Amino acid sequence: MKKGIGQYAIGESFAGFLLIKEATKGVTTNGKPFLTLIFCDSSGEIEAKLWDSTKEDEATFVPEQIVELAGEIIQFRGNLQLKVTSIRPAQPTDGVHISQFIEKAPVDKEVLSEKIMEAIFEMENANLQRIVRAFVKKYGEALLTYPAAAKNHHEYVSGLAHHIVSMLSIAKELTNIYPSVNKDLLYAGIILHDLGKLKELSGVVTTTYTLEGKLLGHIPMMVEAIGEVASELKIEGEEVTILQHLVLSHHGKAEWGSPTPPLVREAELLHLIDMIDAKMNILNRALDKVQPGEFTARLFPMENRSFYKPLFDRKDS
Amino acid sequence: MKKGIGQYAIGESFAGFLLIKEATKGVTTNGKPFLTLIFCDSSGEIEAKLWDSTKEDEATFVPEQIVELAGEIIQFRGNLQLKVTSIRPAQPTDGVHISQFIEKAPVDKEVLSEKIMEAIFEMENANLQRIVRAFVKKYGEALLTYPAAAKNHHEYVSGLAHHIVSMLSIAKELTNIYPSVNKDLLYAGIILHDLGKLKELSGVVTTTYTLEGKLLGHIPMMVEAIGEVASELKIEGEEVTILQHLVLSHHGKAEWGSPTPPLVREAELLHLIDMIDAKMNILNRALDKVQPGEFTARLFPMENRSFYKPLFDRKDS
Amino acid sequence: MKKGIGQYAIGESFAGFLLIKEATKGVTTNGKPFLTLIFCDSSGEIEAKLWDSTKEDEATFVPEQIVELAGEIIQFRGNLQLKVTSIRPAQPTDGVHISQFIEKAPVDKEVLSEKIMEAIFEMENANLQRIVRAFVKKYGEALLTYPAAAKNHHEYVSGLAHHIVSMLSIAKELTNIYPSVNKDLLYAGIILHDLGKLKELSGVVTTTYTLEGKLLGHIPMMVEAIGEVASELKIEGEEVTILQHLVLSHHGKAEWGSPTPPLVREAELLHLIDMIDAKMNILNRALDKVQPGEFTARLFPMENRSFYKPLFDRKDS
Amino acid sequence: MKKGIGQYAIGESFAGFLLIKEATKGVTTNGKPFLTLIFCDSSGEIEAKLWDSTKEDEATFVPEQIVELAGEIIQFRGNLQLKVTSIRPAQPTDGVHISQFIEKAPVDKEVLSEKIMEAIFEMENANLQRIVRAFVKKYGEALLTYPAAAKNHHEYVSGLAHHIVSMLSIAKELTNIYPSVNKDLLYAGIILHDLGKLKELSGVVTTTYTLEGKLLGHIPMMVEAIGEVASELKIEGEEVTILQHLVLSHHGKAEWGSPTPPLVREAELLHLIDMIDAKMNILNRALDKVQPGEFTARLFPMENRSFYKPLFDRKDS
Amino acid sequence: MKKGIGQYAIGESFAGFLLIKEATKGVTTNGKPFLTLIFCDSSGEIEAKLWDSTKEDEATFVPEQIVELAGEIIQFRGNLQLKVTSIRPAQPTDGVHISQFIEKAPVDKEVLSEKIMEAIFEMENANLQRIVRAFVKKYGEALLTYPAAAKNHHEYVSGLAHHIVSMLSIAKELTNIYPSVNKDLLYAGIILHDLGKLKELSGVVTTTYTLEGKLLGHIPMMVEAIGEVASELKIEGEEVTILQHLVLSHHGKAEWGSPTPPLVREAELLHLIDMIDAKMNILNRALDKVQPGEFTARLFPMENRSFYKPLFDRKDS
Amino acid sequence: MKKGIGQYAIGESFAGFLLIKEATKGVTTNGKPFLTLIFCDSSGEIEAKLWDSTKEDEATFVPEQIVELAGEIIQFRGNLQLKVTSIRPAQPTDGVHISQFIEKAPVDKEVLSEKIMEAIFEMENANLQRIVRAFVKKYGEALLTYPAAAKNHHEYVSGLAHHIVSMLSIAKELTNIYPSVNKDLLYAGIILHDLGKLKELSGVVTTTYTLEGKLLGHIPMMVEAIGEVASELKIEGEEVTILQHLVLSHHGKAEWGSPTPPLVREAELLHLIDMIDAKMNILNRALDKVQPGEFTARLFPMENRSFYKPLFDRKDS
């Protein structure tokens, strides 16, 4: 595999295509305009400065534009920076596409889709199954391509579906270990719990919050959506209320955004499985970036802890 | 006005009609059955024991039954208790009705209804007005008779409407003092903010929580209901989202049940007005029960404080 | 009205008089001295750099000095900055005065004074009235010109009196809605509650904390001052203690600086009214600076929230 | 299966053998001595009063004594109580044994032992394996019979081993889902994490805290024990320190008794798996005691929540 | 020394004089009046019931009345109780006095007074010395006889002076170890810090809170008193403000009643010394009541901890 | 005494030897390499920039290297900076040694050693004495030279021994004031409480945390070490457990790193004495740097407070 921008070290030279993720205008202390650009490919991102930028530059180098550039990796205030020596916007003839530059789930979306369908197929309670099926149909492609969050965990293309599928695997095993758990309810909760994010987040590539997302949040929006879908399907009764409860309570407590805490066994389990998979996603990706014997960067969503990667392996002694 | 059960002191004799609010069976240390009854009228409540109760007594003396009784007020473990000397269920010929025995708002429900309609009439934004009108029509009588809560504040018949009307008065004056406030939005928020309680609480006389109330809570239920009504009225756009936001955020912060805090000026104001009216209702009713120079009982919803009623009056010196 | 410095945008040229609010010396990385100046007029403030500054410059360009200058508005590290092209200290012949450059309450101090006197006139309790009158006489001009705080809310000339007068308006209406409230006590509490700030803050233009302010705080200082004034007026009894209690408890709880929480109805109401008026002052001023559809900057004293200004108006639909 | 004391309802008669769990002396208000006894069998426990007890009774009816008794189930202050009509201490000829009267894990200790040995066998890192093996050998029978806690979760005979085995099952599946996890380290952490309880708790039947348990706690005691064992086995290096870290941090944060939070991936996972299995044990046992449509009692270790058991089943609709 | 009521055990008989500390009327479940009396002497206290009490009994057996009685020590609901067999009010001819029945500091008040005067004599700063001298003169006898608190620590006659004198001893040594500490300021702070309690608490024998104490608290009252005394002595300047700061901040933080935390070295030290002496007073008295190898009762002001008294002594081994 | 680098002011010239404490490579915005160096001597430290640094410079100017340099003190972004005009590494012939450039305790280590030995000599309990003696022998020189912490308090050579000796002085006086305290236990706790830092911190000059220090912390490491030493000395029994408890609990509560709070009188006292000496060390050193009438910098370990140094002295008035 080709070396991505996330793998370059100080002093190395880079030449190739990158995607512009952010572009901000600035003025130096002596009044000269410049552009701060953040470039990315699927392996990571890097900052660069474009000195003495023109109005034309400002119009050319904008987010979601692919560019071909060359430069050197330097250190600037403790972070890596790309010192650009040449840059030009990509042409149609370059044969590059935005989807090549953004991080994706390590599992294909077709596989993810299949696994979700399998879980639905396993469900025996018709009410729960019909509601879940209706959502999967309604949200279709978005469900398979959205990230699970704007940052923190599973923040890549198909991150949401990847998160759902990992959670379903954990749920399957836990229902073996604790057989009194209602598997249908747990599966339904897992598949639906974060679908409100499809309305809370603006999109797949540059992910920001919608007005509805900011003023209501994905949890109340999804509670409402379940009510709506159930009403369209003419399904009434405890399954609907309890499914809404699973979504409402899945953050675990009021301070974390769930006005009601889990009060049903499967709601508690949904919360715990969600927490495990989110934490493991963060941890695994952070540990992948360091060598044995090193600590990771501080991980904000893990209470700002920095984790150690032991020197020894399974078979060591 | 006739003296109510809430005004009797130790050593006094009582004779008259009371409503049974709660009835619990017990067994003495030497194995004899008895009933613990809580009687009430519109002025307050008192506990009593019915010793050596029969199966027939258990079937007769049940909640919502009116009885005629006589007895003496004694002290038992620091609280007042009614020592019953005679008791019989009321007959149709007694001409007593349950509504005579429960506390009501100090303002008639017709007046409350009229004040709410006036506020709706003052609204200029058609979308907000139509949504509010739809709810008032839909919930009709319940809106005018429900308490505002199972306990703590405005916990009496028509308490919810009384609370709404007091809040509307405060809102009217504040919009004069701060003219940039959107009066329509604030009025709409005030009228709708607690209507979810009509589904959260079981009823007017013996008020408990419904399953939906326990698992979802009145706030998410009302957010969903606004979405539903807006969709029925085919109203779309920011008014709907922002009205939902006002309801969602009116408890002020996550720990108090609002997963999103107020992020719109009128939402903040709704929260503050709700807090003032609830607190003044609690305080005024507690201070009415004590004499100048005394402290009230500890008030749990006021951080368990006990308030002092000063000896001096306005004109004193 | 002439455009103030707070209304200028990047790229615009400015020419006119401004007041120096702060001046700090610095040295560039290559050892050259410069001055960082913060200029203001009544509409806002802007930062500027004076490169290669001389000893003479340092003596000339000091806080409270008015200057005439010209320059261009640029962006520097995300904030606006004024790139100075010419600057000279104002001369007596320029006819400019410091009071023209600082923000003032939107109501004249004569009107504010009159409203406070009206409230005192309405009071019926002679003890409370005499104490309040003594303070108004004693603090006179300062009471009418001080800001209510060094920052956060009503932080402008006559801000304290403006805050008192708004609170009196709210109090007047609330005593109509809740007639058992003691209006004299509430009015007295409102007028006196923050007068300790006249000793806590250094002055009107460049507002810092005095040593007494830092080591004791305005609340204990004012409790002491009430005791002193009452003793001078030979007033004794509950009115004095309770008035001290209102001042002592008006921040609402220990963590916010009130070692005793409100334990008298009017103390609780004073706290609530103070909170409403402070919050609405912050909110209204922040929302005035943004367009419909935008969010305000993060507001630190509002738990760091950023508020949304809806697109629709009262009559919209 | 014979009906246990935990299944009796008010009004039913009981006759048979029970174990005395607690015995407390008391004096009635008129000065007569009595005994309060708590009887148990493997299905639950019930309180009883022995009125007018003699010195001989006090010497006879003591904890861990089996008795044969008859009586009736009554209600006393909201709880069930056994009204004793006859009672005598069990005789050797009765053929009853203390082990028949105490709750046990639902899995035999031989099976539990085998599963733990299997996990050890799967380990590839010789250092970790040798340390774990040494502990299993050292604590032997106690490891297989102790409860996991004095109350809250797995508080029955072999509860600790049952907890370990459930956690190993979860761990096995999670290492499949997250293959970069070090299975040996996680297994070792799971088997050792709570072994300090063997010194913290006094024993299997009447479980109290030892002085060492109260003054040091099982976590620091186990950290010390790992150091000791490693030193006996002459094992040095990171495995020892990291295994101590897993034990030290497994409560997740300082407030919960871990002075260092998890800083190694497997430590975080150990904490999460421990939490899931403890919570599911509490929840499943509480839900087993209620009918569909009911709420459980408040569960103190689950933040005092009361959980709902839905009416519908997997196949319902 | 004669055995006090605090040293009696279950089953022993008591005959002698005791002081009534509290008297509460009650009614039995079958309607008969009784009195609950709490008797005390300087060694402790005990509860008793006076069954079938008459109106005359109620008038006779009141707080601060000394009685001669006989009875037996029994256990009632886990606590000791005195079963009264005879009781009569003490007569003047009995030669007993209330001061014989209340706990006193272990040091005579003359000695305490002398030690305080010595400390004042050591002071070199005339302003601080004059203020302190004025207070000692003004409060005289009360300063030497009041308890330091209504409960928790030094809650006995002369407890306040005992607390001051212990603190002065600690202060003396700390100023040797840290010579840059201003001894005069620290001594002045120690002597004055709790004098507000002389106005906050109602008296020496039955100690309750005054209205001023409840609404203002001893800290703000003492800050005011220092201002008053300084003004009477015509002392101005930093000493006064800083002495007020020491009193204001001596509880250490806002949540504990100090709206300003210590911001002067001697204020911090005053807070720390106050805390040590209060805690050691609580601890020493609790440990005096238990045997080596036992735990004390839970100590509420020590975060509800229960302390262990080791078995070994200094010379043990 | 020669003026140290900590005493230089802006505008002054420096010439002499300094020790390099930290060295960090950087690149300017236009790509040129430079070194940021932090120089220190025993009086303080200062930052400097070495522009256009070569590979050779990077190899020469490294931590723990002494250099001779000349330059001028300038201000850079609010802090002092040394503008270097000449710099060269020190030669053996310069006769300078690293120990001359680092801060030391104000008391010689021989004196500190003697004081610790005296305390051990005073101990009467042979078990405690033998354990303490074993540690002092085992850790020898390190105990006498290590700092007490990497930062915050006593962060200088011999800081740990200095801290122990100050605490012993306080303990001696407190055992006079509270004679029931077990002096041997308290002394033993004081001498051992922080010895775990000898393994937690990397060394005397450049003090960082070891892996064991990060993953276990000095408290659990020291609890383990006491167990080990006691076992080597074949000492068993309560003294060992209680000494471990003193070390384990000396941070006072779980949030501060003590999983068990103090539950023995001497443990509580150890915690309080530790807190006093740490706070006074911080405060005294911060106040030494400011003039009367000034506030110190914000002190992070003192809850970020800034302390005031009064203008008046002991004898003032």
Side-chain angles (χ1 to χ4, degrees), chain D residues 33 52-53 56 70 117 119 121 125 134 173 185 193 200 225 248 250 260 265-266 274:
Chain D
D52 296 314
S53 56
E56 204 184 359
M117 295 317 293
F121 190 77
N125 180 305
E173 298 308 329
L185 183 56
H193 80 291
E200 186 188 47
L248 186 66
H250 85 269
T260 305
R265 172 171 35 199
E266 289 73 16
D274 186 23

PDB file of all heavy atoms in Angstrom, chain D residues 33 52-53 56 70 117 119 121 125 134 173 185 193 200 225 248 250 260 265-266 274:
ATOM      1  N   PRO D  33     -37.441  -9.560  77.541  1.00  0.00           N
ATOM      2  CA  PRO D  33     -36.448  -9.917  76.521  1.00  0.00           C
ATOM      3  C   PRO D  33     -37.059 -10.685  75.350  1.00  0.00           C
ATOM      4  O   PRO D  33     -38.025 -11.430  75.538  1.00  0.00           O
ATOM      5  CB  PRO D  33     -35.467 -10.812  77.275  1.00  0.00           C
ATOM      6  CG  PRO D  33     -36.268 -11.404  78.370  1.00  0.00           C
ATOM      7  CD  PRO D  33     -37.308 -10.385  78.751  1.00  0.00           C
ATOM      8  N   ASP D  52     -40.375 -13.392  74.817  1.00  0.00           N
ATOM      9  CA  ASP D  52     -40.069 -13.921  76.158  1.00  0.00           C
ATOM     10  C   ASP D  52     -38.948 -14.963  76.119  1.00  0.00           C
ATOM     11  O   ASP D  52     -39.056 -16.039  76.705  1.00  0.00           O
ATOM     12  CB  ASP D  52     -41.339 -14.556  76.772  1.00  0.00           C
ATOM     13  CG  ASP D  52     -42.417 -13.510  76.983  1.00  0.00           C
ATOM     14  OD1 ASP D  52     -42.096 -12.424  77.516  1.00  0.00           O
ATOM     15  OD2 ASP D  52     -43.575 -13.754  76.599  1.00  0.00           O
ATOM     16  N   SER D  53     -37.889 -14.637  75.434  1.00  0.00           N
ATOM     17  CA  SER D  53     -36.800 -15.601  75.283  1.00  0.00           C
ATOM     18  C   SER D  53     -36.029 -15.765  76.599  1.00  0.00           C
ATOM     19  O   SER D  53     -35.857 -14.807  77.361  1.00  0.00           O
ATOM     20  CB  SER D  53     -35.855 -15.122  74.179  1.00  0.00           C
ATOM     21  OG  SER D  53     -35.396 -13.822  74.473  1.00  0.00           O
ATOM     22  N   GLU D  56     -31.402 -19.584  78.034  1.00  0.00           N
ATOM     23  CA  GLU D  56     -31.149 -20.829  77.313  1.00  0.00           C
ATOM     24  C   GLU D  56     -31.414 -20.648  75.812  1.00  0.00           C
ATOM     25  O   GLU D  56     -30.633 -21.083  74.967  1.00  0.00           O
ATOM     26  CB  GLU D  56     -32.072 -21.913  77.882  1.00  0.00           C
ATOM     27  CG  GLU D  56     -31.549 -23.319  77.670  1.00  0.00           C
ATOM     28  CD  GLU D  56     -32.568 -24.335  78.171  1.00  0.00           C
ATOM     29  OE1 GLU D  56     -33.641 -23.920  78.678  1.00  0.00           O
ATOM     30  OE2 GLU D  56     -32.302 -25.539  78.039  1.00  0.00           O
ATOM     31  N   ALA D  70     -42.109 -24.442  62.895  1.00  0.00           N
ATOM     32  CA  ALA D  70     -43.395 -24.319  62.217  1.00  0.00           C
ATOM     33  C   ALA D  70     -43.906 -22.928  62.510  1.00  0.00           C
ATOM     34  O   ALA D  70     -43.555 -22.319  63.530  1.00  0.00           O
ATOM     35  CB  ALA D  70     -44.362 -25.369  62.744  1.00  0.00           C
ATOM     36  N   MET D 117      -9.254 -23.603  34.492  1.00  0.00           N
ATOM     37  CA  MET D 117      -8.057 -24.299  34.057  1.00  0.00           C
ATOM     38  C   MET D 117      -7.908 -24.240  32.541  1.00  0.00           C
ATOM     39  O   MET D 117      -6.791 -24.060  32.027  1.00  0.00           O
ATOM     40  CB  MET D 117      -8.081 -25.767  34.528  1.00  0.00           C
ATOM     41  CG  MET D 117      -8.036 -25.927  36.040  1.00  0.00           C
ATOM     42  SD  MET D 117      -6.859 -24.843  36.910  1.00  0.00           S
ATOM     43  CE  MET D 117      -5.313 -25.525  36.285  1.00  0.00           C
ATOM     44  N   ALA D 119      -8.856 -21.862  30.564  1.00  0.00           N
ATOM     45  CA  ALA D 119      -8.372 -20.530  30.193  1.00  0.00           C
ATOM     46  C   ALA D 119      -6.868 -20.428  30.438  1.00  0.00           C
ATOM     47  O   ALA D 119      -6.130 -19.882  29.619  1.00  0.00           O
ATOM     48  CB  ALA D 119      -9.123 -19.450  30.982  1.00  0.00           C
ATOM     49  N   PHE D 121      -4.779 -22.785  30.441  1.00  0.00           N
ATOM     50  CA  PHE D 121      -4.134 -23.638  29.447  1.00  0.00           C
ATOM     51  C   PHE D 121      -3.972 -22.910  28.112  1.00  0.00           C
ATOM     52  O   PHE D 121      -2.989 -23.090  27.401  1.00  0.00           O
ATOM     53  CB  PHE D 121      -4.956 -24.922  29.271  1.00  0.00           C
ATOM     54  CG  PHE D 121      -4.265 -25.964  28.461  1.00  0.00           C
ATOM     55  CD1 PHE D 121      -3.239 -26.747  29.014  1.00  0.00           C
ATOM     56  CD2 PHE D 121      -4.600 -26.181  27.133  1.00  0.00           C
ATOM     57  CE1 PHE D 121      -2.588 -27.703  28.255  1.00  0.00           C
ATOM     58  CE2 PHE D 121      -3.952 -27.133  26.365  1.00  0.00           C
ATOM     59  CZ  PHE D 121      -2.938 -27.911  26.928  1.00  0.00           C
ATOM     60  N   ASN D 125       1.768 -16.771  27.069  1.00  0.00           N
ATOM     61  CA  ASN D 125       2.861 -16.053  27.722  1.00  0.00           C
ATOM     62  C   ASN D 125       3.185 -16.765  29.026  1.00  0.00           C
ATOM     63  O   ASN D 125       2.384 -16.817  29.957  1.00  0.00           O
ATOM     64  CB  ASN D 125       2.413 -14.611  27.988  1.00  0.00           C
ATOM     65  CG  ASN D 125       3.494 -13.803  28.675  1.00  0.00           C
ATOM     66  OD1 ASN D 125       3.987 -14.209  29.718  1.00  0.00           O
ATOM     67  ND2 ASN D 125       3.856 -12.687  28.078  1.00  0.00           N
ATOM     68  N   ALA D 134       0.172 -20.130  39.906  1.00  0.00           N
ATOM     69  CA  ALA D 134       0.612 -20.120  41.304  1.00  0.00           C
ATOM     70  C   ALA D 134      -0.517 -19.666  42.230  1.00  0.00           C
ATOM     71  O   ALA D 134      -0.725 -20.228  43.313  1.00  0.00           O
ATOM     72  CB  ALA D 134       1.827 -19.203  41.466  1.00  0.00           C
ATOM     73  N   GLU D 173     -14.989 -13.805  23.585  1.00  0.00           N
ATOM     74  CA  GLU D 173     -15.662 -13.268  22.406  1.00  0.00           C
ATOM     75  C   GLU D 173     -15.123 -11.909  22.011  1.00  0.00           C
ATOM     76  O   GLU D 173     -14.970 -11.602  20.839  1.00  0.00           O
ATOM     77  CB  GLU D 173     -17.174 -13.185  22.659  1.00  0.00           C
ATOM     78  CG  GLU D 173     -17.813 -14.530  22.909  1.00  0.00           C
ATOM     79  CD  GLU D 173     -17.472 -15.555  21.834  1.00  0.00           C
ATOM     80  OE1 GLU D 173     -17.277 -15.154  20.670  1.00  0.00           O
ATOM     81  OE2 GLU D 173     -17.385 -16.754  22.167  1.00  0.00           O
ATOM     82  N   LEU D 185      -3.072 -11.478  28.760  1.00  0.00           N
ATOM     83  CA  LEU D 185      -3.077 -10.446  29.792  1.00  0.00           C
ATOM     84  C   LEU D 185      -4.498 -10.258  30.331  1.00  0.00           C
ATOM     85  O   LEU D 185      -4.726 -10.153  31.539  1.00  0.00           O
ATOM     86  CB  LEU D 185      -2.550  -9.138  29.175  1.00  0.00           C
ATOM     87  CG  LEU D 185      -2.408  -7.952  30.101  1.00  0.00           C
ATOM     88  CD1 LEU D 185      -1.527  -8.288  31.294  1.00  0.00           C
ATOM     89  CD2 LEU D 185      -1.813  -6.767  29.330  1.00  0.00           C
ATOM     90  N   HIS D 193      -8.222 -10.541  39.359  1.00  0.00           N
ATOM     91  CA  HIS D 193      -8.641  -9.190  39.772  1.00  0.00           C
ATOM     92  C   HIS D 193      -9.260  -9.110  41.158  1.00  0.00           C
ATOM     93  O   HIS D 193      -9.057  -8.146  41.871  1.00  0.00           O
ATOM     94  CB  HIS D 193      -9.552  -8.546  38.719  1.00  0.00           C
ATOM     95  CG  HIS D 193     -10.975  -8.977  38.735  1.00  0.00           C
ATOM     96  ND1 HIS D 193     -11.380 -10.234  38.382  1.00  0.00           N
ATOM     97  CD2 HIS D 193     -12.111  -8.316  39.081  1.00  0.00           C
ATOM     98  CE1 HIS D 193     -12.683 -10.326  38.478  1.00  0.00           C
ATOM     99  NE2 HIS D 193     -13.162  -9.195  38.909  1.00  0.00           N
ATOM    100  N   GLU D 200      -9.945 -10.228  52.174  1.00  0.00           N
ATOM    101  CA  GLU D 200     -10.759  -9.093  52.630  1.00  0.00           C
ATOM    102  C   GLU D 200     -12.013  -9.564  53.346  1.00  0.00           C
ATOM    103  O   GLU D 200     -12.481  -8.926  54.282  1.00  0.00           O
ATOM    104  CB  GLU D 200     -11.139  -8.223  51.419  1.00  0.00           C
ATOM    105  CG  GLU D 200     -11.864  -6.955  51.803  1.00  0.00           C
ATOM    106  CD  GLU D 200     -12.411  -6.214  50.581  1.00  0.00           C
ATOM    107  OE1 GLU D 200     -13.039  -6.858  49.700  1.00  0.00           O
ATOM    108  OE2 GLU D 200     -12.242  -5.004  50.513  1.00  0.00           O
ATOM    109  N   ALA D 225       0.247  -8.978  46.826  1.00  0.00           N
ATOM    110  CA  ALA D 225       0.360 -10.431  46.677  1.00  0.00           C
ATOM    111  C   ALA D 225       0.966 -10.815  45.326  1.00  0.00           C
ATOM    112  O   ALA D 225       1.759 -11.763  45.242  1.00  0.00           O
ATOM    113  CB  ALA D 225      -1.018 -11.072  46.844  1.00  0.00           C
ATOM    114  N   LEU D 248      -4.944  -3.064  40.073  1.00  0.00           N
ATOM    115  CA  LEU D 248      -5.045  -1.764  40.741  1.00  0.00           C
ATOM    116  C   LEU D 248      -6.110  -0.875  40.112  1.00  0.00           C
ATOM    117  O   LEU D 248      -6.820  -0.140  40.791  1.00  0.00           O
ATOM    118  CB  LEU D 248      -3.689  -1.048  40.654  1.00  0.00           C
ATOM    119  CG  LEU D 248      -3.560   0.267  41.418  1.00  0.00           C
ATOM    120  CD1 LEU D 248      -3.653   0.009  42.916  1.00  0.00           C
ATOM    121  CD2 LEU D 248      -2.250   0.969  41.100  1.00  0.00           C
ATOM    122  N   HIS D 250      -8.788  -1.782  38.188  1.00  0.00           N
ATOM    123  CA  HIS D 250      -9.995  -2.411  37.624  1.00  0.00           C
ATOM    124  C   HIS D 250     -11.314  -1.835  38.131  1.00  0.00           C
ATOM    125  O   HIS D 250     -12.373  -2.124  37.565  1.00  0.00           O
ATOM    126  CB  HIS D 250      -9.964  -3.947  37.753  1.00  0.00           C
ATOM    127  CG  HIS D 250     -10.456  -4.487  39.047  1.00  0.00           C
ATOM    128  ND1 HIS D 250      -9.646  -4.723  40.122  1.00  0.00           N
ATOM    129  CD2 HIS D 250     -11.698  -4.849  39.453  1.00  0.00           C
ATOM    130  CE1 HIS D 250     -10.353  -5.216  41.126  1.00  0.00           C
ATOM    131  NE2 HIS D 250     -11.601  -5.297  40.742  1.00  0.00           N
ATOM    132  N   THR D 260      -5.160   4.588  40.454  1.00  0.00           N
ATOM    133  CA  THR D 260      -4.734   4.850  39.072  1.00  0.00           C
ATOM    134  C   THR D 260      -5.833   4.329  38.151  1.00  0.00           C
ATOM    135  O   THR D 260      -6.278   3.194  38.331  1.00  0.00           O
ATOM    136  CB  THR D 260      -3.420   4.099  38.760  1.00  0.00           C
ATOM    137  OG1 THR D 260      -2.456   4.480  39.730  1.00  0.00           O
ATOM    138  CG2 THR D 260      -2.910   4.417  37.371  1.00  0.00           C
ATOM    139  N   ARG D 265      -4.815  -0.976  27.448  1.00  0.00           N
ATOM    140  CA  ARG D 265      -6.060  -1.411  26.809  1.00  0.00           C
ATOM    141  C   ARG D 265      -6.750  -2.542  27.568  1.00  0.00           C
ATOM    142  O   ARG D 265      -7.958  -2.514  27.799  1.00  0.00           O
ATOM    143  CB  ARG D 265      -5.772  -1.857  25.376  1.00  0.00           C
ATOM    144  CG  ARG D 265      -6.955  -2.510  24.681  1.00  0.00           C
ATOM    145  CD  ARG D 265      -6.714  -2.743  23.188  1.00  0.00           C
ATOM    146  NE  ARG D 265      -5.324  -3.069  22.926  1.00  0.00           N
ATOM    147  CZ  ARG D 265      -4.746  -2.962  21.727  1.00  0.00           C
ATOM    148  NH1 ARG D 265      -5.462  -2.561  20.688  1.00  0.00           N
ATOM    149  NH2 ARG D 265      -3.491  -3.256  21.569  1.00  0.00           N
ATOM    150  N   GLU D 266      -5.995  -3.554  27.956  1.00  0.00           N
ATOM    151  CA  GLU D 266      -6.590  -4.712  28.604  1.00  0.00           C
ATOM    152  C   GLU D 266      -7.111  -4.343  30.003  1.00  0.00           C
ATOM    153  O   GLU D 266      -8.045  -4.976  30.514  1.00  0.00           O
ATOM    154  CB  GLU D 266      -5.580  -5.859  28.675  1.00  0.00           C
ATOM    155  CG  GLU D 266      -5.287  -6.504  27.318  1.00  0.00           C
ATOM    156  CD  GLU D 266      -4.415  -5.621  26.406  1.00  0.00           C
ATOM    157  OE1 GLU D 266      -3.782  -4.666  26.912  1.00  0.00           O
ATOM    158  OE2 GLU D 266      -4.386  -5.864  25.179  1.00  0.00           O
ATOM    159  N   ASP D 274     -15.898  -6.523  33.878  1.00  0.00           N
ATOM    160  CA  ASP D 274     -16.263  -6.682  35.288  1.00  0.00           C
ATOM    161  C   ASP D 274     -17.592  -5.981  35.556  1.00  0.00           C
ATOM    162  O   ASP D 274     -18.498  -6.527  36.187  1.00  0.00           O
ATOM    163  CB  ASP D 274     -15.148  -6.070  36.153  1.00  0.00           C
ATOM    164  CG  ASP D 274     -15.346  -6.317  37.640  1.00  0.00           C
ATOM    165  OD1 ASP D 274     -16.047  -7.272  38.007  1.00  0.00           O
ATOM    166  OD2 ASP D 274     -14.772  -5.559  38.439  1.00  0.00           O
TER     167      ASP D 274
END
